Amino acid sequence: MYIKFINEEDLVPGDVILCCSVMTSEKAAQATDSKYSHAAIHVSDGEIAESSSKGVAITSVSNLLDEYDHIAVLRNPYIWGGDRVDKLRRFIKKAIEDKAFFNTIGMGKYESRKSKHSISELQRLEQYFEGKLPEIESERGAYFCSELVVASFLSIGAIAQSAAVVITPEVFSPGDLGKEATFGGFVGYIKASDETEISEDDDFYFQSPIDHVSQI
């Protein structure tokens, strides 16, 4: 089986970063049906935006690999043209300046919210097109990790309001991001060390990596 590995230097703005650790993979899989327990987004020049227990902040691949065994990178090269990278930078900068904190309550309610959300998707769409739903906001003041990633895509306009009633920030786990085409296809893994092995039950083990497509 061919598994593609990439380097930190291969990252481009907008890449979605999914993190997996042997220590937390079993617990994550029980809660979300995926071994990936953390998500972040590459802003530019190696700067990774994440929401963790310290709130929204900038980190790096090397810092993430101090905590996780490997990273899976997702990329949608078709949405980051124009001024969208600048919009992403401004969104993250504002979240940090506003001291957006980690959404502990939202994280705790994720499972029940997702279950309720999936049952009512059709109804929500009907309500949206009838003008009965308020807009889904990207600026929230608090985010759990994957909530920040989805909100980032919402903030740049990659997720329209009509889609946001389904692709809603608070009902996406890290593993869910890899199942939604909006966030891109699998590009490759970055691993903590040469000894790190990717198991066959990894979410992306049998996925063919997309070609490296440079963004505009």
Side-chain angles (χ1 to χ4, degrees):
M1 177 67 190
Y2 171 65
I3 304 177
K4 188 169 188 177
F5 294 100
I6 62 174
N7 300 312
E8 180 178 355
E9 293 74 21
D10 296 318
L11 295 177
V12 296
D15 281 353
V16 174
I17 310 296
L18 302 181
C19 306
C20 184
S21 168
V22 171
M23 297 292 291
T24 59
S25 61
E26 184 175 341
K27 184 177 180 180
Q30 290 175 348
T32 68
D33 197 31
S34 169
K35 290 188 172 184
Y36 287 86
S37 58
H38 187 57
I41 187 167
H42 178 230
V43 181
S44 64
D45 301 322
E47 293 187 338
I48 309 294
E50 67 168 351
S51 184
S52 66
S53 59
K54 297 178 181 179
V56 177
I58 296 296
T59 186
S60 65
V61 168
S62 59
N63 285 341
L64 290 174
L65 290 177
D66 284 339
E67 298 183 51
Y68 299 94
D69 300 304
H70 72 269
I71 288 169
V73 179
L74 307 179
R75 179 176 302 164
N76 185 338
Y78 306 108
I79 66 171
W80 291 99
D83 63 348
R84 282 182 166 176
V85 173
D86 289 334
K87 286 182 177 179
L88 173 64
R89 292 192 187 104
R90 291 195 295 269
F91 173 72
I92 296 299
K93 181 181 179 182
K94 188 173 189 305
I96 293 172
E97 290 177 344
D98 291 347
K99 297 182 179 180
F101 55 92
F102 184 74
N103 188 1
T104 306
I105 295 175
M107 187 67 181
K109 293 182 176 180
Y110 156 77
E111 288 186 71
S112 60
R113 283 179 174 173
K114 182 179 180 180
S115 177
K116 182 179 178 180
H117 183 84
S118 61
I119 293 172
S120 63
E121 279 184 0
L122 182 58
Q123 183 180 9
R124 288 172 63 82
L125 282 168
E126 290 174 347
Q127 289 176 340
Y128 170 78
F129 287 111
E130 290 172 358
K132 297 179 180 179
L133 286 183
E135 285 199 354
I136 306 296
E137 299 290 342
S138 57
E139 293 186 17
R140 294 165 170 250
Y143 308 84
F144 56 81
C145 62
S146 43
E147 183 178 14
L148 177 66
V149 174
V150 182
S152 295
F153 276 68
L154 182 60
S155 75
I156 67 163
I159 299 174
Q161 282 296 317
S162 57
V165 299
V166 175
I167 308 175
T168 308
E170 64 265 25
V171 299
F172 269 74
S173 69
D176 292 330
L177 299 175
K179 301 170 186 175
E180 170 54 53
T182 301
F183 304 104
F186 173 63
V187 176
Y189 296 108
I190 303 177
K191 54 184 181 177
S193 70
D194 291 339
E195 289 72 36
T196 300
E197 295 184 358
I198 310 297
S199 63
E200 290 190 10
D201 60 354
D202 185 272
D203 294 19
F204 307 100
Y205 187 91
F206 291 104
Q207 287 193 24
S208 298
I210 65 172
D211 292 334
H212 273 194
V213 182
S214 298
Q215 296 174 346
I216 298 173

